[in-house]
Amino acid sequence: MLRGRSLSVTSLSGLPRWEVEELPVEELLLFEVAWEVTNRVGGIYTVIQTKAKTTADEWGDNYFLIGPYFEHNMKTQVEQCEPVNDAVRRAVDAMNKHGCQVHFGRWLIEGSPYVVLFDIGYSAWNLDRWKGDLWEACSVGIPYHDREANDMLIFGSLTAWFLKESFSVSQAGVQGLDLSSLQAPQLVKCVILFCLCRRASVSKCFNIDKEAGERQIYHRYCMERASVHCAHVFTTVSEITAIEAEHMLKRKPDVVTPNGLNVKKFSAVHEFQNLHAMYKARIQDFVRGHFYGHLDFDLEKTLFLFIAGRYEFSNKGADIFLESLSRLNFLLRMHKSDVTVVVFFIMPAKTNNFNVETLKGQAVRKQLWDIAHSVKEKFGKKLYDALLRGEIPDMNNILDRDDLTIMKRAIFSTQRQSLPPVTTHNMIDDSTDPILSTIRRIGLFNNRTDRVKVILHPEFLSSTSPLLPMDYEEFVRGCHLGVFPSYYEPWGYTPAECTVMGIPSVTTNLSGFGCFMQGHVADPTAYGIYIVDRRFRSPDDSCNQLTQFLYGFCKQSRRQRIIQRNRTERLSDLLDWRYLGRYYQHARHLTLSRAFPDKFHVELTSPPTTEGFKYPRPSSVPPSPSGSQASSPQSSDVEDEVEDERYDEEKEAERDRLNIKSPFALSHVPHGKKKLHGEYKN
């Protein structure tokens, strides 16, 4: 008797429900294979970790993740236990008896999925034999010095061995172990970054074999291409990577599976706005210390922008971002704007230690706070005593000479002879660092006259840091805009995380996230998603477009930014795994139908599609320079009142929900007609 488990996707703020026929999940096992299972390396870790709950809700205890074993990760993330499934238990025991080390347990994340972890080093003695098998099977050789490729071969061979043992056990009497429930094989990890292939027009004449050979990664390319062509179903994360895969791997992806997040809504609609205000105040405290002695700008009219990610200067768009900041600084100074922009670069690099001047700044800020608090206590006591006596205190006598001396000394301590540093740490290779070299070239040295200030924080954020004691999520919530003008970004979790937190962001049409939003939102800019065209425009034109986006954002009033954040946060439903998980469901169903066409069937005319499904343009005037801005950088109070009368958030949100169309063309099943066991239509 099959377990009753609904595969429908709950309607998320008006998003359509998607009903599919239930799979006999008790008769199937789902294995998901990835190098980043319990092993944080990059964005794939976030994909697997956040998607686990949705998949575990669907498959229950028949869902298994396969990854590499690392002792530290095992101790801190996995609770060891014995396999409940007979096939899996016998496969683990068989491999351990043959000289492998296979670990089993529950991953301590949401959903608590089972994990099977292979000790790569313990099985390295089989490497030469497996290299020979790979050569005999597909004539691909792996150099001995390529440790990553060797590790992938060991990992892939151990995974194949495990599945073979499980399959042989099922043939002996355990029914229903279905290897076709594996998604597109990821037994080999191959990273090919060919930025020359970013434009479709270039990729058509791009000799991938020649370029891979010159970069000495031809064997990796061959392994990835072989994996792709051997898979029943080939998936990729975005439309932009689908274009790349078709040209580079010579196969068009069957299903595009966008990355999602576990979106948690607040009970109070505006709670995320309150969090923004709270964490913005903490960033302002850091800025007060960092710019002590040069704090001649109004923090209430200061915008905080940031870029975060791996230190890939060109791929992550730091080059075009810095150039656009130089042009933005010129525009703000030319128009005599009273808006100041502080930009954070959160990109880890090699450093010696904290910058002494930066540490001193935070110490000076704390000292001034303590002095002000002490004087306030004395002032408050004198004021309280005077009021008890029924007197109005003499303001000339309420502060004595010692108080004035202390305050004067505090003011003198804020004087500095040097400019505020552009980096919070001592860089190991300061002279050749790409970001610092570009800052020197464009002249953004945090001068008093500069309206754009730059701070490079070459370390991941942590709540235990003595400089900026904030976690990444807290920091993002406190900023006004995330800027990610990437030239290479298969998906882009950083702008997606900003969207979920209600923070506007800049992305590009060469990122998976940007393409996804273009396909789902009629006017992304009105919803706080600024998409820079880096695919069809020249670098200089893209830089000008980014500059205009930033300048338009600086011209918004506070009221307009609040409205935009409300709209941005409403897009978070699109990024919820409860919605995006359907693409993975379809990929699994399609795999079963191709591997076992006599038992499972999927109508080829009804794959998941997003045609006709878009958030419409907001009914009120969008907070963009073209539609609702004054010529001056700061809108007047009268403009705010007019905007307040025109904008009704609840009505606009309800209108968004009513206007959403169904993204799926579902087949109609006549009433009274039942489907055979194992037959379903998507």
Side-chain angles (χ1 to χ4, degrees):
M1 183 176 180
L2 297 179
R3 169 175 42 194
R5 186 186 295 277
S6 172
L7 300 187
S8 65
V9 177
T10 305
S11 180
L12 303 170
S13 300
L15 289 176
R17 294 177 65 87
W18 183 51
E19 301 288 347
V20 297
E21 182 71 12
E22 293 181 359
L23 281 176
V25 292
E26 281 199 346
E27 300 181 6
L28 302 171
L29 296 182
L30 173 64
F31 294 95
E32 193 165 341
V33 186
W35 183 257
E36 297 196 31
V37 171
T38 74
N39 177 39
R40 183 188 292 274
V41 177
I44 302 300
Y45 178 89
T46 305
V47 177
I48 299 168
Q49 183 189 44
T50 56
K51 184 172 62 68
K53 185 180 186 303
T54 302
T55 311
D57 289 343
E58 178 187 347
W59 287 81
D61 289 341
N62 287 357
Y63 172 49
F64 301 87
L65 289 159
I66 299 178
Y69 167 81
F70 294 99
E71 183 178 5
H72 175 72
N73 296 337
M74 185 75 182
K75 289 181 177 180
T76 57
Q77 300 184 48
V78 180
E79 179 184 15
Q80 283 191 285
C81 63
E82 290 296 322
V84 177
N85 185 278
D86 291 338
V88 174
R89 184 179 65 255
R90 294 177 188 177
V92 170
D93 293 341
M95 292 185 67
N96 285 332
K97 289 179 181 178
H98 286 84
C100 302
Q101 272 199 359
V102 183
H103 301 264
F104 188 88
R106 283 194 180 273
W107 193 3
L108 300 179
I109 58 175
E110 285 191 273
S112 300
Y114 286 125
V115 291
V116 181
L117 305 177
F118 302 129
D119 191 325
I120 305 300
Y122 201 82
S123 300
W125 58 276
N126 290 300
L127 179 59
D128 290 339
R129 176 166 61 87
W130 286 332
K131 279 187 176 182
D133 294 341
L134 181 65
W135 176 260
E136 292 178 3
C138 53
S139 300
V140 175
I142 301 178
Y144 72 94
H145 61 269
D146 191 342
R147 179 169 181 175
E148 187 177 51
N150 289 328
D151 286 346
M152 292 308 104
L153 178 60
I154 298 172
F155 178 52
S157 300
L158 288 171
T159 302
W161 186 356
F162 174 81
L163 296 177
K164 180 181 178 181
E165 291 288 344
S166 301
F167 182 76
S168 63
V169 171
S170 69
Q171 292 297 310
V174 179
Q175 298 296 323
L177 180 61
D178 193 347
L179 297 184
S180 70
S181 59
L182 267 168
Q183 297 177 38
Q186 299 179 13
L187 305 185
V188 178
K189 178 184 178 185
C190 180
V191 180
I192 304 179
L193 302 179
F194 289 143
C195 289
L196 294 177
C197 196
R198 294 304 297 168
R199 299 175 184 269
S201 59
V202 175
S203 62
K204 293 178 180 178
C205 57
F206 188 78
N207 189 334
I208 184 67
D209 295 279
K210 176 176 178 293
E211 297 295 336
E214 289 181 353
R215 288 161 176 77
Q216 298 182 0
I217 56 172
Y218 186 70
H219 57 287
R220 297 191 182 196
Y221 167 64
C222 289
M223 286 191 290
E224 182 169 356
R225 188 170 64 179
S227 299
V228 165
H229 285 274
C230 289
H232 286 102
V233 172
F234 172 41
T235 69
T236 189
V237 72
S238 64
E239 295 295 339
I240 195 68
T241 54
I243 296 172
E244 289 181 347
E246 187 174 1
H247 289 286
M248 298 172 68
L249 302 177
K250 315 304 179 185
R251 178 175 175 179
K252 185 177 180 180
D254 300 288
V255 183
V256 173
T257 54
N259 290 338
L261 290 163
N262 288 330
V263 178
K264 297 181 180 179
K265 293 286 187 178
F266 294 106
S267 55
V269 178
H270 296 291
E271 179 62 24
F272 77 95
Q273 296 278 13
N274 297 334
L275 291 176
H276 168 72
M278 180 175 67
Y279 293 126
K280 181 181 71 173
R282 291 172 61 177
I283 297 177
Q284 288 175 336
D285 282 342
F286 169 80
V287 170
R288 289 186 179 98
H290 191 82
F291 290 94
Y292 82 93
H294 288 256
L295 198 65
D296 52 357
F297 50 90
D298 187 355
L299 283 176
E300 294 303 318
K301 295 182 179 179
T302 299
L303 302 179
F304 300 129
L305 280 58
F306 79 99
I307 180 174
R310 292 188 300 274
Y311 200 146
E312 297 173 3
F313 184 67
S314 297
N315 287 342
K316 295 300 181 182
D319 52 352
I320 187 176
F321 186 29
L322 281 167
E323 184 62 37
S324 66
L325 289 177
S326 175
R327 301 179 187 186
L328 174 65
N329 186 49
F330 171 78
L331 288 175
L332 294 176
R333 292 174 61 180
M334 182 179 67
H335 291 284
K336 301 186 185 309
S337 172
D338 57 357
V339 174
T340 302
V341 178
V342 176
V343 184
F344 293 86
F345 286 77
I346 313 296
M347 307 181 88
K350 294 182 178 180
T351 62
N352 285 327
N353 210 327
F354 295 112
N355 187 305
V356 174
E357 189 65 22
T358 304
L359 288 172
K360 179 183 176 182
Q362 299 307 313
V364 168
R365 177 193 64 81
K366 188 177 183 304
Q367 181 187 30
L368 291 178
W369 172 258
D370 292 339
I371 291 173
H373 188 73
S374 174
V375 173
K376 182 185 71 173
E377 289 292 329
K378 292 178 64 176
F379 179 91
K381 188 176 183 303
K382 292 180 180 179
L383 177 62
Y384 175 66
D385 292 339
L387 293 177
L388 285 177
R389 294 192 300 268
E391 302 174 355
I392 299 297
D394 184 0
M395 302 305 296
N396 294 324
N397 298 326
I398 203 164
L399 292 177
D400 55 31
R401 184 183 299 273
D402 291 340
D403 295 330
L404 294 174
T405 301
I406 291 174
M407 288 190 289
K408 288 179 180 179
R409 290 179 60 184
I411 293 174
F412 291 157
S413 69
T414 62
Q415 297 178 1
R416 69 195 308 176
Q417 303 301 321
S418 60
L419 294 173
V422 296
T423 178
T424 58
H425 292 61
N426 294 322
M427 306 291 289
I428 287 182
D429 202 355
D430 180 288
S431 60
T432 60
D433 181 81
I435 291 180
L436 295 181
S437 297
T438 306
I439 288 175
R440 297 186 191 100
R441 178 176 61 81
I442 62 180
L444 284 181
F445 297 119
N446 296 338
N447 286 300
R448 291 183 182 272
T449 56
D450 288 333
R451 298 270 53 84
V452 174
K453 318 286 187 180
V454 178
I455 301 175
L456 171 60
H457 189 280
E459 191 177 68
F460 284 126
L461 295 170
S462 171
S463 58
T464 60
S465 171
L467 286 182
L468 189 56
M470 301 178 71
D471 290 329
Y472 178 72
E473 179 180 343
E474 298 171 344
F475 176 79
V476 172
R477 288 191 182 276
C479 288
H480 295 90
L481 181 70
V483 185
F484 315 101
S486 303
Y487 192 59
Y488 182 86
E489 200 72 75
W491 174 249
Y493 255 121
T494 41
E497 290 166 339
C498 287
T499 303
V500 169
M501 299 180 203
I503 303 300
S505 61
V506 176
T507 183
T508 71
N509 59 356
L510 281 180
S511 72
F513 175 80
C515 294
F516 180 81
M517 283 301 173
Q518 280 183 324
H520 282 74
V521 184
D523 186 2
T525 302
Y527 284 92
I529 308 295
Y530 300 90
I531 302 176
V532 178
D533 185 359
R534 298 204 65 182
R535 186 176 178 187
F536 301 109
R537 292 192 180 193
S538 67
D540 188 63
D541 288 342
S542 298
C543 186
N544 285 332
Q545 185 184 23
L546 176 57
T547 304
Q548 290 303 316
F549 283 154
L550 299 179
Y551 183 60
F553 188 83
C554 293
K555 290 170 64 178
Q556 290 182 10
S557 66
R558 182 175 181 272
R559 173 66 179 170
Q560 290 170 326
R561 291 197 301 271
I562 291 174
I563 292 173
Q564 191 178 59
R565 283 197 295 272
N566 287 333
R567 291 174 180 160
T568 302
E569 197 270 342
R570 287 208 300 273
L571 296 182
S572 61
D573 288 329
L574 287 175
L575 303 173
D576 197 313
W577 275 121
R578 290 180 292 167
Y579 170 66
L580 297 180
R582 62 182 71 181
Y583 295 100
Y584 280 85
Q585 291 179 14
H586 178 73
R588 291 193 286 266
H589 297 175
L590 187 60
T591 305
L592 287 169
S593 68
R594 290 182 178 178
F596 299 97
D598 55 331
K599 294 183 179 180
F600 301 93
H601 175 66
V602 174
E603 280 194 358
L604 298 179
T605 56
S606 60
T609 178
T610 56
E611 293 179 2
F613 172 60
K614 280 193 174 184
Y615 270 81
R617 191 182 187 199
S619 55
S620 62
V621 178
S624 60
S626 59
S628 64
Q629 298 296 335
S631 57
S632 61
Q634 282 295 317
S635 302
S636 66
D637 295 336
V638 177
E639 290 174 325
D640 286 352
E641 293 175 1
V642 173
E643 178 70 20
D644 193 23
E645 293 176 359
R646 181 178 300 150
Y647 176 76
D648 188 314
E649 183 191 348
E650 293 184 0
K651 289 183 179 179
E652 187 174 285
E654 181 63 25
R655 197 174 290 110
D656 277 355
R657 290 192 284 267
L658 293 176
N659 286 332
I660 294 175
K661 300 178 181 179
S662 173
F664 297 107
L666 302 178
S667 57
H668 176 68
V669 181
H671 292 290
K673 181 180 178 181
K674 294 184 178 180
K675 297 179 181 178
L676 300 177
H677 173 68
E679 179 188 2
Y680 63 96
K681 295 181 180 180
N682 189 17

